[in-house]
């Protein structure tokens, strides 16, 4: 698919509008017509640029992420994890977690959205974590065959979901920092 | 509220019908009328026994659980966790996780259901885990002030949710047993 180049500013505006609409009406009620109207663009442009609603939504969510985790390199696994947490912003995390809760149902009913989120949001995040962990192994901080290595993402997902489910609170930086020191690093033997 | 005694068999039948309806139509479309029709009981009886739809659903889900985790007492924390996992049944877990995914959205839109699930399903489970962990502390297996103690439920929730979200697979006994040995016990220093 040949894409007309959008300026990064224009692309950011479009993604911002998609996220606003997601928060206002939810995934199911979000239409390409509404995105076109809100952003003063044509539906044809949206489809040409993004192909489909699930891909547009997944790319908007990805664009919303503060920065690329893989670019962190502090020299220690503990430093890398804490740098990842401190890139976040408590208000942003609270807004994002409301957005994510709304998307859970949409994912259940829309396999295309689940697939797009997995490819565009989950996979790069896992790659980023993989980079951290690979460097930690190379430095000798973690054994290459450590059984907890394959479960780092599971531990992190648990922090986010259980904080909401059990404690009825959103994740914030202080909580994540404590969880990393109490759970992630000890499980990895660091 | 004075409850007429139902026989345990009759109560089990009613709960089974509620779960069947939940799987068939989802929480939002499940009505007390449909439960009454399916179970040949009157709506008045249902309301008298359970008060409300969220409570009926939460009790049905609780009744569905294989057994009370708190009754496990093998003499070691590792033994207790593995006994908990081996009480499960892979087919049952797969059915339950489909049910749970369907309920996530319902919880998002129905604070009463969230509250009922938290009280009737999450709280007893946490109490059960608390009993395990308390005994492990008393035996000297885990330090009383171990920082991972408060996050055991988070780690377990992560196993369930991330297995689905990241790996697109249901949890089974082999996976849980491996996760316990790779993550839970090392995080607790056991």
């Amino acid at each position: 698919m040949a894409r007309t180049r959008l300026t990064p500013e224009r692309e950011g505006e479009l993604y911002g509008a998609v996220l606003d609409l997601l928060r206002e009406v939810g995934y199911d009620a979000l239409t390409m017509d509404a995105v076109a109207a809100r952003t003063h663009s044509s539906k044809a442009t949206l489809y040409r640029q993004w192909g489909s609603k699930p891909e547009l939504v997944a790319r908007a969510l990805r664009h919303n992420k503060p920065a690329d985790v893989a670019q962190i390199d502090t020299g220690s696994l503990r430093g890398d994890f804490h740098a990842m947490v401190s890139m976040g912003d408590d208000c942003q995390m609270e807004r994002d977690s409301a957005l994510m809760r709304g998307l859970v149902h949409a994912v259940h009913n829309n396999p295309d959205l689940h697939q797009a989120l997995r490819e565009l949001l989950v996979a790069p995040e896992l790659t980023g974590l993989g980079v951290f962990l690979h460097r930690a192994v190379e430095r000798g901080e973690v054994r290459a065959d450590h059984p907890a290595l394959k479960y780092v993402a599971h531990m992190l997902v648990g922090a986010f979901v259980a904080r909401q489910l059990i404690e009825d609170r959103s994740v914030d930086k202080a909580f994540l920092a404590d969880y990393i020191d109490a759970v992630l690093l000890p499980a990895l033997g660091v």
Side-chain angles (χ1 to χ4, degrees), chain A residues 5 32 34 43 67 98 123 128 132 134 153 167 171 180 187:
Chain A
R5 287 271 160 257
M32 292 298 245
K43 239 167 65 164
F132 278 22
H134 181 70
E167 304 181 47
V171 160
I180 284 168

Side-chain angles (χ1 to χ4, degrees), chain A residues 71-83 135 139:
Chain A
Q71 301 190 350
I72 294 172
D73 188 2
T74 64
S76 77
L77 186 60
R78 181 169 192 274
D80 287 353
F81 276 131
H82 282 280
R135 283 194 313 245
R139 282 190 301 259

Side-chain angles (χ1 to χ4, degrees), chain A residues 10 13 39 52 57 61 71 78 82 96-97 99 106-107 123 126 131 141-143 159 163 187-188:
Chain A
R10 179 66 181 144
E13 263 174 43
T39 60
S52 71
V57 168
L61 288 164
Q71 301 190 350
R78 181 169 192 274
H82 282 280
D96 286 355
S97 80
L99 200 62
V107 159
L126 290 181
V131 171
E141 283 189 87
V142 181
R143 261 183 22 230
R163 175 80 159 174
L188 289 165

Side-chain angles (χ1 to χ4, degrees), chain A residues 74-93:
Chain A
T74 64
S76 77
L77 186 60
R78 181 169 192 274
D80 287 353
F81 276 131
H82 282 280
M84 176 178 75
V85 167
S86 67
M87 287 191 327
D89 163 311
D90 285 348
C91 294
Q92 178 79 25
M93 279 190 220

Side-chain angles (χ1 to χ4, degrees), chain A residues 25-29 98-111 113-114 117:
Chain A
V25 303
Y27 180 80
D28 289 328
L99 200 62
M100 285 299 171
R101 285 197 300 284
L103 279 171
V104 169
H105 171 64
V107 159
H108 185 60
N109 291 341
N110 298 279
L113 176 66
H114 197 176
L117 289 177

Side-chain angles (χ1 to χ4, degrees), chain A residues 3-4 21 48 56 92 96-97 111-112 139 145 175 184:
Chain A
R3 291 195 180 188
T4 317
L21 279 167
R48 200 167 48 239
L56 173 58
Q92 178 79 25
D96 286 355
S97 80
D112 287 351
R139 282 190 301 259
D145 62 348
F175 166 80
L184 249 75

Side-chain angles (χ1 to χ4, degrees), chain A residues 65-66 78 80-90 92-94 97 125 152-164 167 169-186:
Chain A
K65 297 206 58 71
R78 181 169 192 274
D80 287 353
F81 276 131
H82 282 280
M84 176 178 75
V85 167
S86 67
M87 287 191 327
D89 163 311
D90 285 348
Q92 178 79 25
M93 279 190 220
E94 185 154 353
S97 80
E125 206 67 12
V152 171
H154 298 69
M155 292 186 253
L156 282 170
V157 166
F160 280 84
V161 176
R163 175 80 159 174
Q164 195 67 52
E167 304 181 47
R169 300 171 64 183
S170 290
V171 160
D172 57 36
K173 295 203 289 193
F175 166 80
L176 283 178
D178 190 56
Y179 188 80
I180 284 168
D181 288 336
V183 169
L184 249 75
L185 297 171

